[in-house]
Amino acid sequence: MKRFAIFMTALAILATGCSKGQKFTLEGELASAHFDPKTESLRLESDVLSEPVTIPVQDGKFSYTGRVERPAVATLKGVEGKASSKMIVLEKGVITFQDGLSCGTKQNDDASGFLRSVREIPKKHPGDRAATSEEAVQAVRKYVADHPKDPSAVLALSIARRFASPEEMVQLIESAAPAIQNDSHVQLMKVVLKNRTSRPAADSE
């Protein structure tokens, strides 16, 4: 009887361990997520996943359920067809896609709302790229400052690359909170940007 009680306790502990973390479901259609219609599978990668996950696509639709210890940025890539990838935030809830942007959970909704607002900036400055870039960079700087611990700030930084120079991007990253700077996506972004800024000096030698 004592052995049975120990066995049941061990099972309970194991079950509790397996259920830890935030359960998320990632689902959508290739069209709404803006992936190539020829895509047959997607690859999900994140620091909070033990290994990359391959998500099959059937009839243009995909779905995957998993768990993460904390909200974190992930990259979702199309394996076949035209190469494309997008950043999303893995967190508790159902994550879907609209107009190529992730939504359905707080972090993803926050990021998507911000990205949509940035998309409208060029309409305010038709033909004036300098004014567009200045306003977009300022908007990103404010969002990142207002969300010092949110993974959505990483997505905001990613869109800044469309408007900011490599030097401005490095400044944006270095002015971000440690939680944002330490994200692996941001660290890689910074390495690539610094390599770009160093090229002219290297070429002139």
Side-chain angles (χ1 to χ4, degrees):
M1 192 71 180
K2 184 177 181 181
R3 289 182 179 179
F4 179 76
I6 294 175
F7 175 72
M8 293 304 294
T9 300
L11 281 181
I13 293 173
L14 180 61
T16 302
C18 292
S19 63
K20 283 184 178 180
Q22 303 182 16
K23 181 180 178 180
F24 71 89
T25 296
L26 180 65
E27 62 183 25
E29 300 180 359
L30 294 178
S32 59
H34 288 188
F35 281 111
D36 190 307
K38 296 180 181 179
T39 302
E40 298 178 359
S41 60
L42 299 171
R43 187 178 179 87
L44 181 66
E45 300 177 349
S46 176
D47 291 344
V48 293
L49 297 175
S50 59
E51 60 183 7
V53 176
T54 299
I55 305 173
V57 176
Q58 295 184 343
D59 299 323
K61 300 179 180 180
F62 57 89
S63 180
Y64 174 75
T65 297
R67 290 183 180 275
V68 290
E69 296 180 357
R70 56 179 172 79
V73 177
T75 303
L76 188 63
K77 304 177 180 179
V79 178
E80 301 85 12
K82 184 179 179 180
S84 60
S85 65
K86 56 183 78 274
M87 285 185 182
I88 62 174
V89 177
L90 297 181
E91 62 178 338
K92 183 179 179 180
V94 179
I95 305 165
T96 58
F97 294 88
Q98 291 181 359
D99 194 25
L101 300 175
S102 55
C103 56
T105 61
K106 185 181 185 307
Q107 289 289 319
N108 287 289
D109 284 344
D110 287 350
S112 296
F114 174 73
L115 297 180
R116 287 191 178 93
S117 69
V118 172
R119 285 179 177 178
E120 296 297 314
I121 293 177
K123 298 178 182 179
K124 298 164 60 176
H125 309 285
D128 192 341
R129 182 172 177 78
T132 296
S133 297
E134 182 178 359
E135 184 172 345
V137 170
Q138 289 178 350
V140 171
R141 181 178 289 108
K142 184 178 186 306
Y143 187 92
V144 172
D146 292 344
H147 299 77
K149 297 182 179 180
D150 291 352
S152 62
V154 177
L155 276 64
L157 280 172
S158 71
I159 198 175
R161 291 178 293 181
R162 303 181 187 178
F163 305 97
S165 67
E167 292 81 6
E168 288 175 318
M169 279 300 304
V170 171
Q171 291 175 2
L172 281 173
I173 292 172
E174 292 181 342
S175 65
I180 305 304
Q181 290 195 48
N182 292 333
D183 180 270
S184 63
H185 299 82
V186 175
Q187 291 179 345
L188 177 60
M189 197 186 304
K190 186 176 180 180
V191 170
V192 172
L193 290 165
K194 286 201 167 184
N195 286 339
R196 289 179 181 175
T197 58
S198 65
R199 282 177 187 173
D203 293 341
S204 63
E205 293 178 357

